[in-house]
């Protein structure tokens, strides 16, 4: 299409029609939504699978990775924070990490407060990226991809297909006029 023809077509549209076309919501097909739900379930399973090498009560598998993070962090000062906060209180903080990863896996696998789980997964993956991206034997793209997957799953309502969010979303939408908490919970599904 030539530039002049394109200009003529644009001049035929009124300004409001141009705005409507530019801001029209994108609608996903049923296949696309189901595909995103399957990706969500797979990412949740990845987080679930990673729980087993750092099991409570001693979280022994996590210790070497914390040592790697202390030695190879990409942010100045992060190793100081780990040495002076995480190492002295290793077991309770490792329990918090393990619990957060369990929450991520449950949220993503079951589509229950999916956006919350995806946001938490992006945060945890970013922490892994900061600490382990340049550690020997680590493939830094893994953590970057986990961050991006978490952000994508936060941006879309992937739990509303093949998940409990499909049932929760209409209920929170109906009660959103009642208060701020309902609106926030409605966004997290």
């Amino acid at each position: 299409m030539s530039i002049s023809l394109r200009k003529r077509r644009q001049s035929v549209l009124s300004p409001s029609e141009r705005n409507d076309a530019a801001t029209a919501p994108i609608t996903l097909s049923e296949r696309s939504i189901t595909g995103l739900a399957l990706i969500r379930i797979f990412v949740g399973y990845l987080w679930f699978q990673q729980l087993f090498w750092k099991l409570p009560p001693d979280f022994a598998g996590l210790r070497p990775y914390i040592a790697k993070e202390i030695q190879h962090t990409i942010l100045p000062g992060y190793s100081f924070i780990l040495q002076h906060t995480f190492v002295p209180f290793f077991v309770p903080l490792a329990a918090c990490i393990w619990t957060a990863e369990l929450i991520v896996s449950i949220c993503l696998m079951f589509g229950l407060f999916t956006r919350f789980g995806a946001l938490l997964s992006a945060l945890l993956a970013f922490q892994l990226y900061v600490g382990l991206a340049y550690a020997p034997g680590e493939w830094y793209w893994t953590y970057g991809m986990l961050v991006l997957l978490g952000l994508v799953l936060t941006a879309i309502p992937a739990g509303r297909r093949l998940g409990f969010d499909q049932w929760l979303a209409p209920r929170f939408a109906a009660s959103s006029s009642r208060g701020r908490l309902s609106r926030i919970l409605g966004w997290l599904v």
Side-chain angles (χ1 to χ4, degrees), residues 40-41 43-49 51 98-118 120-121 159 162-165:
R40 180 204 81 224
I41 293 167
V43 171
Y45 178 71
L46 288 175
W47 283 100
F48 181 72
Q49 181 185 22
L51 293 172
W98 192 86
T99 304
E101 290 182 7
L102 178 65
I103 290 169
V104 166
S105 64
I106 289 170
C107 286
L108 294 181
M109 285 193 307
F110 296 110
L112 180 65
F113 293 100
T114 304
R115 285 182 167 158
F116 171 73
L120 185 56
S121 79
L162 304 177
F164 287 105
D165 288 352

Side-chain angles (χ1 to χ4, degrees), residues 10-84:
Q10 285 179 350
S11 65
V12 172
L13 295 175
S14 71
S16 66
E17 289 173 327
R18 276 189 236 136
N19 281 343
D20 290 344
T23 60
I26 297 172
T27 305
L28 297 175
S29 69
E30 187 66 29
R31 278 168 111 181
S32 298
I33 294 171
T34 303
L36 289 169
L38 293 174
I39 290 169
R40 180 204 81 224
I41 293 167
F42 178 73
V43 171
Y45 178 71
L46 288 175
W47 283 100
F48 181 72
Q49 181 185 22
Q50 293 304 307
L51 293 172
F52 295 102
W53 59 266
K54 55 179 170 266
L55 287 171
D58 60 354
F59 306 98
L62 188 59
R63 259 187 220 283
Y65 281 90
I66 298 301
K68 270 187 181 182
E69 286 189 57
I70 290 170
Q71 294 172 356
H72 304 287
T73 184
I74 60 174
L75 281 180
Y78 186 64
S79 63
F80 178 84
I81 293 169
L82 287 177
Q83 284 176 329
H84 292 89

